């Protein structure tokens, strides 16, 4: 009986896919459509199976569309789901690779026919949309899998989350739904990486911890399992960026237990975490266990950055000399830049300039980034002579972005030295040349995972109702800072981080995470430290250079910002 039923089904599908009537009477067409004309001229009809076979030969989106449009003109009624399914599958495949077209074709299939679509077709569309970051198509394909009661895999969840769906609530729901399921022991580590990336964007260490614990059955190292090594390194860096060095140490210990600590990518990530906090003592301890021959430029730069952030010039100089003497590794330009930064932050500009000359002699060369590390501290130390040297070098080497920043810095340096006329001239010259400095922006992460972006003197449109409360809080802080003898300039100028901080406090937040696209300025840094005393709060302020953990009027950077 089953054989008879299948035969009847095949017959019905065959009849349904049979195209009748002569449609094209003009000259032979090009591309795949010419085969349609040839078949029609030979047989008088064109079958749906024939069109489907042609679809599988399509090499681009145009050919798929032409064949689907041809079917639409020929069929009596809607295009059968079999042909639309095949077209969607091909569009999502490597030969066509068009997620939007694949999603459109899949969406055109009537809901009543979805149960008949092969899982592989829907998953192909989902995977293709995920690779191209097409959240709308990926989410629709995922929902179709749910609608046909298909058992969902961790990979299905990872793909739709990786696609970048617009709704953070939907994204959160999917992650929590996945974490309620047992972690497959054969889980692709890239799935863990996708989930950690979402946590990284949100700076949500609690959710990252849940992901990490959920993935425990998979975190059993196998020889050559490079993807898992990258995931461990990714989680280490996330712990550092989220401002929790203690958790980073726990992960580092896990890496040791798993036999991963000796691997370059993992060790380099831990060094980067230590660099974020300027933990020079821990950096020195870690370096003791690394043979000089195993060091790479990334690890050396991370260690030198840690020494720079802590002010340990001697350790930085000793490490660079050790690398140069060993000869197994040529220090990179970034490594020399880290040492230049160390000397410049300490006010030793003669040594900083000597390191630049040394970089040139070692063929690492110079660039505008290296000279920007010299120019920045000139404002604090009011060293106009060195500032002129650095500024001239940046004019010679700099990109438009760095050149614009250099003009702004030179203006600030002139102001610090009391030459307001020269400061104004620098700003006018910058504007005349059309150089635009990157606009400062601060992202505030709320307790519920939502994010808001603040710019200078600009509150996000969605928070207009909170404007009065923010301004009142800024006035209060301005008065309190004045009593403490701390400049209230960033409040008067409504710097982005002060607007974000004021909003967070008015919302009752006590542990506040801010992320800035530029380095924090000295005025904002000092004001934020004092505000932690006024409000009894802690601030995790991640700027372009490092993490600042502020609490009780102190900062983890010890003033080396």
């Amino acid at each position: 009986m089953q054989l008879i039923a299948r035969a009847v089904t095949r017959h019905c599908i065959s009849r349904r896919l049979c195209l009748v009537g002569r449609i094209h009477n003009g000259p032979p067409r090009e591309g795949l459509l010419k085969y349609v004309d040839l078949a029609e001229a030979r047989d008088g009809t064109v079958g749906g199976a024939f069109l489907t076979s042609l679809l599988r030969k399509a090499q681009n989106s145009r050919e798929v569309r032409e064949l689907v449009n041809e079917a639409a003109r020929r069929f009596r009624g809607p295009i059968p789901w079999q042909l639309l399914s095949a077209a969607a599958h091909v569009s999502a495949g490597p030969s066509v690779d068009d997620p939007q077209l694949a999603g459109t074709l899949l969406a055109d299939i009537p809901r009543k026919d979805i149960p008949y679509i092969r899982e592989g077709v829907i998953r192909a569309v989902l995977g293709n949309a995920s690779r191209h970051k097409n959240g709308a198509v990926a989410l629709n394909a995922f929902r179709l899998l749910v609608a046909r009661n298909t058992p969902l895999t961790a990979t299905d969840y990872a793909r739709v989350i990786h696609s970048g769906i617009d709704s953070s609530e939907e994204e959160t729901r999917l992650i929590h739904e996945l974490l309620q399921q047992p972690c497959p022991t054969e889980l692709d580590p890239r799935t863990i990486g996708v989930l950690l990336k979402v946590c990284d964007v949100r700076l949500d260490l609690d959710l990252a911890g849940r992901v990490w614990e959920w993935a425990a059955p998979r975190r059993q190292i196998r020889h050559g399992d490079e993807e898992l090594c990258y995931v461990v390194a990714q989680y280490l860096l996330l712990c550092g960026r989220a401002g929790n060095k203690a958790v980073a140490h726990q992960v580092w210990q896990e890496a040791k237990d798993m036999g991963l600590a000796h691997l370059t990518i993992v060790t380099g990530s831990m060094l980067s975490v230590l660099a974020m906090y300027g933990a020079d003592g821990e950096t020195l301890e870690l370096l003791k266990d690394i043979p000089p021959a195993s060091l790479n430029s990334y690890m050396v730069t991370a260690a030198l950055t840690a020494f720079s952030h802590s002010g340990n010039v001697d350790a930085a100089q000793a490490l660079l000399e050790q690398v140069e003497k060993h000869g197994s590794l040529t220090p990179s330009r970034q490594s020399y830049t880290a040492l230049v930064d160390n000397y410049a932050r300490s006010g030793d500009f003669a040594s900083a300039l000597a390191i630049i000359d040394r970089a040139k002699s070692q063929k690492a060369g110079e660039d505008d980034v290296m000279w920007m590390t010299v120019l920045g501290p000139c404002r604090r130390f009011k060293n106009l002579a060195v500032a002129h040297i650095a500024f001239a070098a940046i004019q010679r080497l700099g990109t438009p972005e760095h050149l614009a920043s250099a003009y702004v810095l030179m203006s600030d340096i002139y102001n610090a030295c009391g030459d307001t006329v020269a400061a104004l001239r620098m700003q006018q010259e910058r504007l005349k040349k059309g150089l635009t400095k990157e606009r400062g922006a601060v992202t505030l992460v709320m307790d519920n995972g939502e994010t808001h972006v603040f710019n200078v003197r600009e509150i996000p449109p969605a928070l207009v109702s909170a404007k009065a409360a923010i301004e009142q809080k800024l006035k209060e802080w301005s008065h309190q800072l004045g009593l403490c003898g701390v400049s209230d300039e960033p409040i008067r100028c409504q710097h982005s981080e002060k607007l974000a901080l004021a909003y967070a406090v008015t919302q009752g937040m006590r542990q506040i995470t801010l992320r800035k696209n530029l380095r924090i300025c000295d005025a904002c840094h000092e004001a934020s430290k004092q505000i932690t005393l006024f409000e009894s709060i802690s601030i995790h302020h991640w700027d372009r250079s490092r993490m600042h953990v502020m609490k009780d009027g102190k900062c983890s950077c010890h003033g080396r910002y």
Side-chain angles (χ1 to χ4, degrees), residues 179-221:
L179 297 183
Q180 290 173 4
Q181 303 177 14
C183 174
T185 54
E186 296 301 321
L187 178 72
D188 187 337
R190 288 175 293 186
T191 297
I192 309 172
V194 167
L195 299 177
L196 290 178
K197 186 174 182 180
V198 173
C199 300
D200 188 16
V201 171
R202 301 180 179 186
L203 281 180
D204 191 337
L205 192 60
D206 291 335
L207 182 58
R210 286 190 59 200
V211 171
W212 194 246
E213 289 305 314
W214 172 79
R218 178 60 181 89
R219 297 198 324 266
Q220 302 301 318
I221 189 62

Side-chain angles (χ1 to χ4, degrees), residues 384 410-428:
L384 196 56
M410 274 304 299
S411 179
D412 291 344
I413 293 167
Y414 277 122
N415 272 323
C417 295
D419 192 343
T420 56
V421 175
L424 179 60
R425 186 180 70 247
M426 295 304 295
Q427 292 287 21
Q428 290 173 340

